[in-house]
Amino acid sequence: MQSYTIGQAARLLGISPDTARRWADAGRVTTHRDETGRRLINGRDLAAFSIEVGQGAHTEDEEPYTSARNAFPGIVTAVRLGDVAAQVEIQAGPHRLVSLLTREAVEELGLEVGMRATARVKSTSVHIDRI
């Protein structure tokens, strides 16, 4: 399972690293330490937490999340596979994006809950880039 540093988690959540550290210190998100002593957040835990944050649990010291050129970097929070089609949800800061794509595309990208991905929006289509 992929883990994220406090800084990486902050970027995915659309908040400052200081806010991410305070939230971790307060126990809002669980961390563990790697062999070098860095604090890491398990990808599945971060995915679940990003949904909570995206549903309106904001503080005043958060910076607003903006996208550049319609790219929304975030974390995969759900993957639903059908026989032919699939649905992928990404939480990008306060934004929840849902993309419908082929099952084959999801399998080729190896998308799973907890991994980083970027949703690219063009008109009514959302394209997913694996990071």
Side-chain angles (χ1 to χ4, degrees):
M1 170 51 57
Q2 187 165 357
S3 291
Y4 298 91
T5 65
I6 295 288
Q8 290 171 326
R11 280 190 298 282
L12 292 170
L13 293 169
I15 59 173
S16 73
D18 286 337
T19 297
R21 277 188 213 90
R22 281 193 302 275
W23 287 357
D25 291 343
R28 286 190 65 189
V29 64
T30 304
T31 63
H32 63 278
R33 296 209 180 255
D34 68 5
E35 61 279 351
T36 65
R38 289 184 313 166
R39 283 199 297 182
L40 301 174
I41 301 170
N42 176 284
R44 287 193 182 272
D45 293 341
L46 183 58
F49 183 67
S50 70
I51 292 170
E52 176 187 322
V53 170
Q55 291 175 341
H58 304 292
T59 63
E60 289 182 19
D61 61 349
E62 289 182 35
E63 295 179 21
Y65 180 82
T66 61
S67 72
R69 298 185 184 182
N70 301 324
F72 293 83
I75 186 166
V76 176
T77 57
V79 177
R80 293 175 187 85
L81 297 174
D83 291 337
V84 176
Q87 178 179 317
V88 175
E89 293 182 26
I90 293 179
Q91 192 71 39
H95 309 289
R96 176 180 166 260
L97 297 120
V98 179
S99 179
L100 302 176
L101 56 164
T102 64
R103 178 187 181 114
E104 180 181 10
V106 170
E107 290 171 347
E108 284 178 6
L109 290 170
L111 295 175
E112 61 183 41
V113 172
M115 72 184 321
R116 291 186 303 158
T118 299
R120 297 199 186 273
V121 180
K122 181 173 181 192
S123 185
T124 58
S125 298
V126 177
H127 303 269
I128 305 295
D129 296 338
R130 180 175 175 185
I131 299 174

